[in-house]
Amino acid sequence: MPSYHTLGKIPHKRHTQFRKPDGTLYAEELVSTEGFSSAYSLIYHAHPPTMVKELGEPYSVEPKIVREKHLKHTSLIGFNIKSEDDYLQSRKPVLVNSDLHISLAAPRKSMTDYFYKNSQADEVVFIHEGTGTLKTGFGNIKFAYGDYP
């Protein structure tokens, strides 16, 4: 039996016309990583969500393995990582296997020119230094040291 959690006003049936008080339609969006075959959320927007304006040139984010099957203790000295302006390009994978990539990053600037969604995997961010605001469709989240925004 599926579990439903409701916040705010929703239509009496899913995937039907759902109108605002002024008679215009709410925009329906399915948020999921696996469509209807897994957990998903149906979100109704007063204003349609952003559309893809352009796709930049793709570049490889495949990690380069320095030492295969390395079993020695290693100090990663993560706070010495080189800073870069762009958040995505600043991420440097340090520990990887077929299930997990652990990366370190030291971005200098905020992502104000584009939106980012990791559509291939779950992503957890831990903040060691600095503060900021994560802007999402669910609201803004302020973060600082020790947070997982």
Side-chain angles (χ1 to χ4, degrees), residues 59-126:
Y59 59 91
S60 176
V61 293
E62 181 179 357
K64 293 167 182 61
I65 307 300
V66 175
R67 292 177 265 184
E68 292 283 342
K69 299 181 173 113
H70 181 69
L71 298 175
K72 285 177 27 180
H73 293 287
T74 304
S75 177
L76 300 174
I77 311 172
F79 286 105
N80 291 349
I81 193 165
K82 181 183 161 199
S83 293
E84 293 192 35
D85 285 343
D86 184 76
Y87 166 71
L88 296 178
Q89 293 177 357
S90 75
R91 299 182 309 172
K92 305 296 181 224
V94 292
L95 299 171
V96 300
N97 65 23
S98 60
D99 295 318
L100 177 73
H101 290 191
I102 297 176
S103 300
L104 299 174
R108 283 189 291 254
K109 295 184 179 176
S110 178
M111 292 187 330
T112 56
D113 298 338
Y114 61 89
F115 294 100
Y116 164 71
K117 178 184 183 214
N118 184 339
S119 61
Q120 302 300 313
D122 294 327
E123 196 160 316
V124 175
V125 177
F126 178 81

Side-chain angles (χ1 to χ4, degrees), residues 3-11 18 26 40-46 137-139:
S3 63
Y4 295 106
H5 180 72
T6 303
L7 291 174
K9 187 177 173 188
I10 62 169
F18 184 39
Y26 285 104
Y40 66 89
S41 294
L42 269 178
I43 300 173
Y44 295 91
H45 300 275
F138 304 107

